[in-house]
Amino acid sequence: MTSSWRRRLLYTLAISDPFEAAVRKWSPLEDRAYRLLRRYVAGMSLDEAVGAIEDLGRKGLGVSLDLFGEGATDVEQVTRVVAGYRKAAETLSTLDADVYLEIVPSHLGLDIGLDLCRRQVAQVVEAMPPGARLEISAEEARRTTDIMELTTSLHRQGAPLVATLQANFKRSETDADRLVESGIPIRLVKGAYPEPPDVAHPWGEPTDVAYVRLAHRIHDGGGEAILATHDSVIRESLRSALGPLDIEMLYGVRPEIAAELVERDHSVRIYLPYGDGWFRYGMRRLAEAQGPSLMKHTGNVLPVEPMGGTDE
């Protein structure tokens, strides 16, 4: 099986409700899966996440903290999610650490309604400590228009935001222009959601080229670009061409590179997710690494790309 097909298979399993239910139904299998995927998550509780934040801070790394979840389908669920984020925000205000919050819009009700989601996100922003930013994840193409509307409307209300653009999406050049014009910083990821060819460039060289072009487009337009990639060639070439740019990486992925970048006085932020929704995120990490299978993964760290948030 080619790496591309392995990746698609793992991603398909990652978004399969029956597969997740089957794994979680049998405790030994769930425990084994959690041990396998634990390297990518801060833990299931906020206390565990705080411990990871403090550890990363001692290493000179900033953090983007995310409470696992996506695709909320009822208002009560969204209300619980908002309460979780507000608790996290209040906890962050007590820490001497450089921490942003990150949200997945569908986790805060985007699929229920754009206005409802906007109100919920505003509650999270209200609880954030001074100086923190809210990073808004990208999701599948079918949600992108609403995410753009959410981002720009919250920005107009004064929310301190960072948007996320997926380089493989063909619409991202237009979206980049809109965000730059609005003065919204842009975290640039390659993207990892399987999309039809009329929507997205193929993985590999076409997406790599699109990533580089987008970074130049944002920079040349006067915008702030943040490089969320583990691709050292792209990262180093862009920083050489465009000057100092902030970097974002994923928790548990190539930590030795993050440490080396800090030693070179680069600003590095780590995406740090926590909560009981670890399964899908961890499976996506395996998909990005093109691992052979859930139970036979060797644990070797391969270059992977943020998916835009939970999935980045």
Side-chain angles (χ1 to χ4, degrees):
M1 183 182 292
T2 67
S3 61
S4 176
W5 277 106
R6 285 198 301 269
R7 183 174 186 168
R8 289 183 178 275
L9 173 61
L10 286 168
Y11 182 82
T12 299
L13 293 175
I15 61 174
S16 168
D17 290 335
F19 181 70
E20 180 177 2
V23 172
R24 287 181 174 265
K25 185 176 181 179
W26 189 35
S27 294
L29 184 58
E30 182 180 29
D31 291 344
R32 188 174 182 183
Y34 183 69
R35 290 196 302 271
L36 171 68
L37 305 177
R38 180 66 173 84
R39 66 185 305 153
Y40 302 123
V41 305
M44 296 190 192
S45 70
L46 180 58
D47 286 344
E48 289 178 295
V50 167
I53 289 169
E54 293 173 339
D55 178 61
L56 292 169
R58 287 191 290 269
K59 298 173 181 176
L61 296 161
V63 170
S64 180
L65 183 67
D66 185 13
L67 175 58
F68 276 129
E70 59 188 270
T73 57
D74 66 76
V75 175
E76 289 187 7
Q77 180 184 3
V78 172
T79 300
R80 290 193 297 271
V81 172
V82 171
Y85 270 108
R86 288 181 64 89
K87 181 179 179 181
E90 292 164 2
T91 300
L92 296 183
S93 66
T94 69
L95 301 179
D96 182 19
D98 176 15
V99 186
Y100 294 171
L101 286 179
E102 175 154 350
I103 61 162
V104 177
S106 69
H107 196 201
L108 279 83
L110 186 69
D111 294 347
I112 302 172
L114 179 57
D115 288 339
L116 179 141
C117 182
R118 186 185 297 113
R119 294 194 299 271
Q120 307 312 309
V121 178
Q123 291 187 51
V124 175
V125 171
E126 182 184 59
M128 288 168 52
R133 284 173 165 180
L134 183 72
E135 296 190 316
I136 298 182
S137 291
E139 300 191 61
E140 295 93 335
R142 61 186 173 85
R143 291 171 170 146
T144 301
T145 295
D146 282 346
I147 291 174
M148 284 291 297
E149 291 301 321
L150 173 71
T151 303
T152 53
S153 64
L154 288 168
H155 175 74
R156 288 194 296 269
Q157 296 170 15
L161 303 178
V162 176
T164 303
L165 283 186
Q166 299 178 84
N168 66 324
F169 281 10
K170 294 181 178 180
R171 61 172 289 166
S172 287
E173 286 192 356
T174 300
D175 289 339
D177 292 344
R178 180 180 177 185
L179 293 168
V180 168
E181 184 178 357
S182 298
I184 301 173
I186 300 170
R187 177 178 56 181
L188 186 57
V189 305
K190 287 188 180 181
Y193 292 104
E195 301 283 358
D198 61 320
V199 169
H201 303 292
W203 286 316
E205 184 175 326
T207 290
D208 291 352
V209 171
Y211 190 102
V212 172
R213 287 177 174 170
L214 266 176
H216 279 273
R217 189 182 188 99
I218 294 165
H219 180 270
D220 294 346
E224 178 184 347
I226 300 164
L227 304 182
T229 178
H230 294 85
D231 189 321
S232 299
V233 173
I234 287 179
R235 183 183 62 242
E236 294 299 324
S237 63
L238 284 173
R239 288 177 61 85
S240 177
L242 304 180
L245 297 170
D246 289 351
I247 298 164
E248 289 206 16
M249 300 179 70
L250 299 171
Y251 185 66
V253 178
R254 306 188 76 184
E256 73 285 357
I257 300 299
E260 187 266 336
L261 289 168
V262 169
E263 289 178 0
R264 291 165 53 196
D265 293 325
H266 295 328
S267 175
V268 182
R269 186 172 300 278
I270 303 297
Y271 172 71
L272 184 72
Y274 76 99
D276 61 9
W278 51 268
F279 182 81
R280 292 192 175 202
Y281 174 82
M283 284 294 295
R284 287 172 181 163
R285 294 284 76 84
L286 291 187
E288 289 174 340
Q290 301 178 11
S293 71
L294 175 63
M295 293 297 112
K296 295 182 180 178
H297 182 59
T298 63
N300 293 330
V301 177
L302 301 177
V304 301
E305 293 308 313
M307 297 163 64
T310 56
D311 298 6
E312 274 207 21

